[in-house]
Amino acid sequence: MSVLYLVRHGQASFGTDDYDRLSDLGKEQSRITGRFLAAQGIEPDRIVHGEMLRQRQTAEGLLEGMGLSMDAHVDSGWNEYAAWELTGVLDDVDPRAKHDSKIFQGELERGAARWASGEHDEDYTETYKQFTSRVERALDDAVAAMESGQTTIVVSSAGAIAWTAARLIGGGFDQWMAFNRVTINTGITKIITGRGGTSLISFNDHGHQDPKDATYR
């Protein structure tokens, strides 16, 4: 069997003018995660991340923590959906959502339900169906690239990782949203693949982080 680890990016910069970059805590979370993976004897044959800066910075932190020097592969299929677009098309967004992560989460879920309904596809640069399809392709590509017994680490974001988990348990929007809601920065999701297919083994493991440093954005 081969193993695929999906790692959510470290804490980004919510509430600033540029969310797509790691905070100082996010950078340290990434290094801690790398040290944890190395301590578990995990030696990746391949590391992949999406195109987003926070994903690349997290991959760099993982490698630093693991004491490894290797080139990462970039796959845009692991990019996150456009969260601000989902809330931006709502008529009555709570203005506090820009700086209050709890309020933002509620507005995001309202926007996601509208997005996933398929009734307003013209309002989005990427439809819900297009998002889920590209994440599924990225997963299939990551699995296909591994030879038997190999290990790959993928750095992505909450939405893409949550959809991967939902797909593997045969779930849909409700399962996706439930996973998406609780995904913690640098949480680790483990997937195995072999003759029996591709299976979800664990989701959002974050025991390597100090509880006081656990973050969701």
Side-chain angles (χ1 to χ4, degrees), residues 43-152:
E43 299 180 2
D45 298 281
R46 194 166 185 255
I47 187 164
V48 182
H49 60 75
E51 295 176 315
M52 295 173 163
L53 177 60
R54 61 188 183 272
Q55 297 169 345
R56 177 174 62 80
Q57 290 178 322
T58 301
E60 292 171 349
L62 288 177
L63 290 173
E64 180 182 344
M66 299 182 82
L68 297 176
S69 177
M70 59 190 300
D71 293 330
H73 299 265
V74 179
D75 183 349
S76 62
W78 292 109
N79 288 358
E80 184 62 298
Y81 61 90
W84 293 107
E85 184 174 275
L86 270 57
T87 58
V89 298
L90 299 174
D91 294 331
D92 53 347
V93 176
D94 189 323
R96 296 173 297 172
K98 187 173 182 180
H99 299 287
D100 187 313
S101 62
K102 290 183 179 179
I103 294 174
F104 175 75
Q105 181 64 34
E107 298 290 42
L108 177 61
E109 293 188 19
R110 191 162 63 92
R114 182 182 189 275
W115 179 49
S117 72
E119 297 175 2
H120 311 279
D121 285 353
E122 68 279 2
D123 291 342
Y124 307 101
T125 55
E126 181 181 49
T127 68
Y128 175 73
K129 185 175 181 179
Q130 289 169 338
F131 163 71
T132 57
S133 294
R134 67 147 166 100
V135 172
E136 290 174 10
R137 286 195 299 271
L139 173 63
D140 292 343
D141 289 346
V143 169
M146 287 191 291
E147 298 179 5
S148 179
Q150 288 192 327
T151 297
T152 296

Side-chain angles (χ1 to χ4, degrees), residues 162-180:
W163 180 253
T164 300
R167 174 198 177 186
L168 290 175
I169 64 169
F173 174 81
D174 290 343
Q175 289 75 25
W176 172 67
M177 183 53 66
F179 283 144
N180 193 26

Side-chain angles (χ1 to χ4, degrees), residues 2-3 21 52 138 148 176 192 207:
S2 299
V3 183
R21 55 187 170 84
M52 295 173 163
S148 179
W176 172 67
I192 61 169

